[in-house]
Amino acid sequence: MTPIDLALAAGAALIGLSAAAIALARHRPACAAVHGAAVPCALALAAAGLWALAADAPPGAVVLPLGLPWLGAGLRLDALSALLLMLMGVGGAAAGLYGVGYLRHETEPGRIAPFLPGFLAAMALVILADDAFTFLLGWELMSLLSWALVLAHHRAEDARRAGLLYLVMAGFGTMVLLLAFGLMAGPEGGYGFAAIRAAERGPALTALVLALALAGAGSKAGIVPLHVWLPAAHPAAPSHVSALMSGVMTKVAVYGLARIAFDLLGPVPWWMAPVLIMAGAGTAVTGIALALADGGMKRVLAWSTIENVGVILAALGLALAFRASGMPALAALALTAAFLHALNHMLFKSLLFMAAGAVLGATGRGDLDALGGLIHRMPVTALVALIGATAIAALPPLNGFVSEWLLFQAVLQSPALPQPWLQFLVPAAGGMLALAAALAAACFVRFYGVAFLGRPRSDAAATARETDGWSRAGMAALAGLCVLLGVLPGIVIDLIAPAVRLLAGAGLAPQSGNAWATLVPVPQGRMSYSGLLVVVFVALSGGAAAWLVHRLASRRLRRAPAWDCGFPEASPLTQYGAGSFAQPLRRVLAPLMAARERVEMPPPGAVAPARLAVHVEDLAWTRLYLPLAAGLDRVTARLNALQFLTIRRYLALVFATLVLLLVGLALWN
Amino acid sequence: MPDAAFDIAHLLAGSLVLVSFMLIYQGRIHALLNVFALQALLLALAVAWQAHMRGAHHLYASAAIALVFKAMIVPWALHRMVRVLGIHREVETVVGVVPTMLAGMALVALSILLMLQLTRGAGNPLSREDLAFALSVILLGMLMMVTRRNAVSQIVGFMSLENGLILAAAGAQGMPFVVEISVAFSVLIAMIVIGVFLFRIRERFDTVDTGAIEQFRGEKRA
């Protein structure tokens, strides 16, 4: 038995589960059981990936007699696929575990259970594909099944709209990827990945394919301006599906890009790297700025996913620049940062979406301004959400810090690049990424503070109950991994080293043997970081501070109303809310989101209250998509007249076309 | 003598184009049908001359088909149709004669330019010029279909287009005889079908002006 056999068995079991769930969709306990049974299958996928990575054996390949008769379905498990399989398996298992509990209070379990295992299997198919046909088949299955999951609550207008938008964008993405693979396969139609690797291409064609792949994978991952469906569709799905879409599916999309850019295309001209870097940095800043301005709990998380995808994309671009300039060791550093951040983002974003789902289930309210004070009513959810928020804000000693730190180490090495353009551009992109990281911290202080701290802003929040044990177990597992990867990152970095070596041509020096679990990513550099030492320091200083405060300041526990600054009976609405917390940053970043504020004063003598209206828009939507849609409408309205011509006019059209073509032929000769 | 043979072939093909122009400016339907019969007669002569020149005997059959069907049966049938329908007075060009003639000249220039350019260095000059004339006849036939409103004139345009096809087929060596026969028969059948439709249209609308059908569909807004 080899890792790929294990992965195939697990994938087949997931497909079987989907089929069984269709039959059992009417029974609530059966739907929960399907979710439960998906957990070991997903864990088996993760184990297959882990096994392949740890053994670092030559890739296993299988050709299944499915699909096109003369082609079959080629599957291959190399180090990069193994890394993604591990990521996907862990995310899928946590989502399945959480889903067992979630389905108890879900109104439409029969609309979720049949699609979830199939969605996992489709993502595994994309990861394992070894020819363009299988890849695109898996990609399309992944899109369609997640679309069905987004439409689980299809009676809600929002969900329907999100589903339509998602379907359009997914269709666009697949079409663009189809073009990219067609160009790579060339006129002979070598659609196997081995044939694509072997083919020779000029730099212009390579750049074109990379640009198409960026648009195709980017529309799935959420790269600005192709991100518009993401803040609509991710929140519309059930929470564990949101976790899968944000945490795992975006990574599968990034995998597609990395597979094409680093593996299939061969050498890429260096001037494509700045495109990726600037797209990534721009995506990061735009995403997090809009996350700051949004008031919906899950929408904030979806916008933050866009930011993190931007960070990963920038790291990939940096790796591309280093590799094109013949610096494989630095490329390995940037790639390690990208993959580690992908893994970390899967962990904490899934965790946060699940926590948001728990809050949604407990209160029925998804807008931040209806929540507050949940730390007292949902202590476990509050604790794991705190871990997730700290991790995503990139604070040490959690895992988010490690990958962002590695990324900035790579950015700081950019003066070694030979191209002056890149020497200027990479530090600028680094500045944008630093801005995004700082804004992310502010965003998640707001997220956590408004939802979990303070006093409840609604009755629903005041009467919330802690979520069920299954959901808590799923979240706790992810939180534990977040802490583990933050404190002992060396183990994971060594584990993903084969994938990095495969793409960069070199790996980082082994990290797990260093004293105090210290990371020393650049051997000759003086940079090092030890999560373990930070933990020890935080524990010592925090413990000492707590001890001192209790010793000197408060001998006994006192409970007093929060924010009781002379207004003992004031309404909870006088607290800092989501909008007021964001106001300073919203004003500073106003050009990024066309933010406007207007005070509506009542006329003199009227008793109506004054109102503050805040308007924020996604510029990509209002400046790009809406004009595009309006233009399309105008053109189609004009062309509609063509449906009602007379016979003579149709003949004239044919005649004119013929004459035009003949004239063209005459001129061309 | 080969030069004289060439000139005669050239003359016949050129007259086909000339008659196509005559078709374009005919206002009365009976005159139009007579000119069409003339064109079919010229076609039969041109094809027969090709057969004589190249010693290709099956082309005599093509010439005979053109003579019998297109110069006699089709015009006779159309004359009868026009009489039965009582539409012999109708003048129904959509575009004026002058612009149509100008457009026709441009089309002839285009097809000669194009054909002589495309077939440079290939084949003998006769079949090259034959092809150019044939394309001109085809384009003029289409032009006629586009610029006429009366269904009978549109049929004539279609038939004249088909004459161009036969001319091209006769000029190009190697077109199988079976293809010519089937083309001839399909044109005949097309004429019958269109004729039947004409009668039906007439029964329904009391006119064969296709503009009336447009009005009936509610699309031609006044």
Side-chain angles (χ1 to χ4, degrees):
Chain A
M1 181 141 172
T2 55
I4 193 165
D5 296 331
L6 180 60
L8 284 183
L14 283 173
I15 294 171
L17 269 180
S18 260
I22 293 172
L24 298 171
R26 293 180 178 282
H27 305 278
R28 188 175 287 265
C31 288
V34 164
H35 272 68
V39 174
C41 297
L43 281 179
L45 284 175
L50 192 65
W51 182 7
L53 274 178
D56 198 9
V62 177
V63 176
L64 295 181
L66 301 171
L68 295 182
W70 62 92
L71 200 61
L75 301 176
R76 187 159 171 274
L77 182 61
D78 62 3
L80 180 59
S81 303
L83 167 63
L84 262 289
L85 208 55
M86 185 176 81
L87 185 156
M88 191 221 102
V90 172
L97 201 58
Y98 178 91
V100 174
Y102 186 83
L103 284 203
R104 291 196 184 151
H105 54 80
E106 167 64 48
T107 47
E108 308 239 26
R111 289 188 172 276
I112 301 171
F115 301 118
L116 190 96
F119 180 39
L120 291 176
M123 288 195 285
L125 186 65
V126 174
I127 294 169
L128 289 174
D130 195 30
D131 60 65
F133 179 76
T134 312
F135 184 93
L136 287 172
L137 181 74
W139 188 274
E140 210 44 8
L141 270 179
M142 177 174 91
S143 299
L144 283 178
L145 290 173
S146 53
W147 172 74
L149 286 166
V150 168
L151 283 183
H153 301 133
H154 63 104
R155 290 199 171 77
E157 174 66 32
D158 279 357
R160 282 203 302 272
R161 202 174 148 271
L164 180 63
L165 191 59
Y166 178 29
L167 205 59
V168 171
M169 292 304 289
F172 166 78
T174 309
M175 190 192 72
V176 173
L177 274 183
L178 196 67
L179 287 179
F181 277 111
L183 282 178
M184 279 196 286
E188 294 83 30
Y191 283 98
F193 280 180
I196 291 178
R197 276 186 205 102
E200 297 268 333
R201 286 173 208 90
L205 183 60
T206 304
L208 179 62
V209 171
L210 189 57
L212 288 173
L214 182 65
S219 72
K220 182 68 72 186
I223 291 171
V224 176
L226 300 169
H227 65 284
V228 285
W229 63 274
L230 209 137
H234 284 199
S239 292
H240 59 303
V241 177
S242 311
L244 273 180
M245 289 176 73
S246 251
V248 181
M249 191 173 74
T250 55
K251 306 306 173 302
V252 176
V254 169
Y255 160 82
L257 180 64
R259 173 67 79 190
I260 292 175
F262 287 87
D263 184 21
L264 297 181
L265 271 182
V268 174
W270 69 267
W271 41 267
M272 274 313 279
V275 176
L276 263 67
I277 295 173
M278 287 322 283
T283 300
V285 173
T286 315
I288 201 65
L290 284 156
L292 258 170
D294 213 308
M297 210 178 185
K298 288 173 84 176
R299 284 179 62 88
V300 170
L301 294 176
W303 281 115
S304 145
T305 296
I306 295 173
E307 181 240 357
N308 281 283
V309 164
V311 170
I312 297 170
L313 181 70
L316 283 179
L318 206 52
L320 208 60
F322 282 128
R323 201 184 68 156
S325 308
M327 289 183 268
L330 293 179
L333 176 60
L335 269 182
T336 307
F339 291 153
L340 198 60
H341 197 68
L343 197 59
N344 290 337
H345 181 247
M346 182 277 289
L347 292 173
F348 48 64
K349 185 51 61 65
S350 299
L351 171 56
L352 285 171
F353 260 118
M354 289 177 190
V359 170
L360 199 60
T363 63
R365 301 295 295 268
D367 44 335
L368 282 172
D369 277 330
L371 303 173
L374 292 175
I375 195 167
H376 297 295
R377 281 143 206 105
M378 309 176 72
V380 178
T381 306
L383 177 66
V384 293
L386 180 62
I387 293 176
T390 317
I392 201 170
L395 294 180
L398 289 168
N399 56 350
F401 179 77
V402 180
S403 44
E404 296 232 7
W405 183 76
L406 281 176
L407 171 60
F408 285 112
Q409 294 310 309
V411 169
L412 290 178
Q413 301 295 328
S414 63
L417 284 166
Q419 299 89 355
W421 268 98
L422 285 177
Q423 286 175 357
F424 278 106
L425 193 129
V426 174
M432 289 168 78
L433 291 174
L435 174 66
L439 291 178
C443 175
F444 280 92
V445 168
R446 168 178 175 260
F447 177 84
Y448 193 80
V450 175
F452 289 97
L453 305 182
R455 282 178 296 157
R457 291 177 181 79
S458 66
D459 288 343
T463 56
R465 303 278 301 276
E466 180 60 281
T467 188
D468 59 280
W470 292 97
S471 299
R472 289 203 299 261
M475 292 189 288
L478 289 175
L481 282 172
C482 278
V483 176
L484 187 70
L485 257 66
V487 177
L488 301 172
I491 302 173
V492 188
I493 290 177
D494 286 355
L495 190 66
I496 65 177
V500 172
R501 262 202 305 283
L502 177 73
L503 299 192
L508 288 187
Q511 302 289 335
S512 47
N514 297 339
W516 287 97
T518 308
L519 287 183
V520 190
V522 189
Q524 73 276 16
R526 291 171 298 280
M527 312 292 190
S528 63
Y529 164 71
S530 165
L532 194 57
L533 279 179
V534 173
V535 172
V536 171
F537 175 74
V538 166
L540 283 181
S541 58
W547 181 77
L548 278 175
V549 166
H550 274 280
R551 178 85 190 150
L552 303 178
S554 63
R555 295 230 115 198
R556 61 201 165 77
L557 185 67
R558 286 182 302 172
R559 281 195 182 275
W563 305 105
D564 192 17
C565 298
F567 296 97
E569 295 301 326
S571 149
L573 294 177
T574 59
Q575 299 177 96
Y576 243 37
S580 41
F581 195 101
Q583 192 200 34
L585 286 168
R586 198 176 58 224
R587 286 189 174 166
V588 173
L589 300 173
L592 277 180
M593 42 187 150
R596 287 192 294 278
E597 290 177 15
R598 201 173 68 248
V599 180
E600 293 168 359
M601 293 298 289
V607 291
R611 289 190 177 278
L612 175 70
V614 176
H615 172 84
V616 172
E617 62 189 36
D618 178 4
L619 287 181
W621 181 251
T622 51
R623 302 272 164 90
L624 182 64
Y625 285 82
L626 291 184
L628 196 69
L632 207 61
D633 264 355
R634 270 199 302 278
V635 170
T636 45
R638 290 264 173 85
L639 289 184
N640 196 25
L642 278 187
Q643 307 290 333
F644 301 102
L645 295 185
T646 60
I647 301 167
R648 205 178 49 76
R649 291 210 177 105
Y650 281 125
L651 277 177
L653 272 184
V654 173
F655 183 57
T657 313
L658 178 69
V659 170
L660 210 65
L661 289 177
L662 287 178
V663 168
L665 195 63
L667 291 179
W668 185 54
N669 262 286
Chain B
M1 202 54 202
D3 280 338
F6 178 86
D7 285 342
I8 292 174
H10 209 156
L11 174 72
L12 287 171
S15 351
L16 266 176
V17 178
L18 199 66
V19 174
S20 279
F21 274 106
M22 289 167 66
L23 280 176
I24 285 181
Y25 70 76
Q26 294 304 321
R28 299 298 176 98
I29 285 185
H30 284 298
L32 183 73
L33 292 177
N34 289 339
V35 175
F36 171 70
L38 174 66
Q39 190 184 34
L41 183 70
L42 280 171
L43 176 73
L45 280 178
V47 173
W49 186 252
Q50 290 268 357
H52 169 72
M53 228 171 56
R54 301 214 308 260
H57 296 291
H58 67 265
L59 281 183
Y60 284 121
S62 298
I65 291 173
L67 187 68
V68 173
F69 281 135
K70 306 191 81 175
M72 297 173 181
I73 297 182
V74 169
W76 171 79
L78 286 177
H79 273 300
R80 188 179 157 273
M81 213 181 265
V82 169
R83 259 200 312 280
V84 171
L85 295 173
I87 51 176
H88 57 281
R89 284 183 198 285
E90 290 179 24
V91 180
E92 29 58 67
T93 47
V94 179
V95 190
V97 171
V98 176
T100 319
M101 294 294 275
L102 286 176
M105 282 178 212
L107 286 176
V108 172
L110 171 71
S111 55
I112 288 176
L113 261 177
L114 188 71
M115 273 301 163
L116 294 188
Q117 222 176 28
L118 278 184
T119 57
R120 189 181 298 135
N124 56 357
L126 176 59
S127 51
R128 282 174 64 193
E129 304 208 342
D130 248 10
L131 275 178
F133 286 131
L135 185 62
S136 310
V137 174
I138 291 172
L139 289 180
L140 289 174
M142 285 189 89
L143 181 68
M144 177 153 174
M145 287 180 81
V146 169
T147 52
R148 297 293 176 119
R149 197 175 271 155
N150 186 304
V152 176
S153 322
Q154 285 181 350
I155 298 177
V156 171
F158 177 69
M159 298 275 164
S160 134
L161 184 157
E162 203 269 342
N163 285 346
L165 282 179
I166 299 275
L167 183 66
Q173 293 144 10
M175 177 114 161
F177 184 51
V178 182
V179 177
E180 285 175 37
I181 298 268
S182 56
V183 168
F185 271 103
S186 61
V187 168
L188 195 68
I189 289 168
M191 192 208 72
I192 293 168
V193 171
I194 295 173
V196 170
F197 267 103
L198 265 183
F199 279 103
R200 306 285 301 181
I201 292 170
R202 162 75 185 210
E203 273 175 31
R204 253 332 126 114
F205 302 108
D206 284 339
T207 173
V208 287
D209 187 337
T210 50
I213 308 176
E214 289 159 28
Q215 260 166 1
F216 181 74
R217 289 206 302 182
E219 286 147 11
K220 190 176 170 189
R221 288 171 192 89

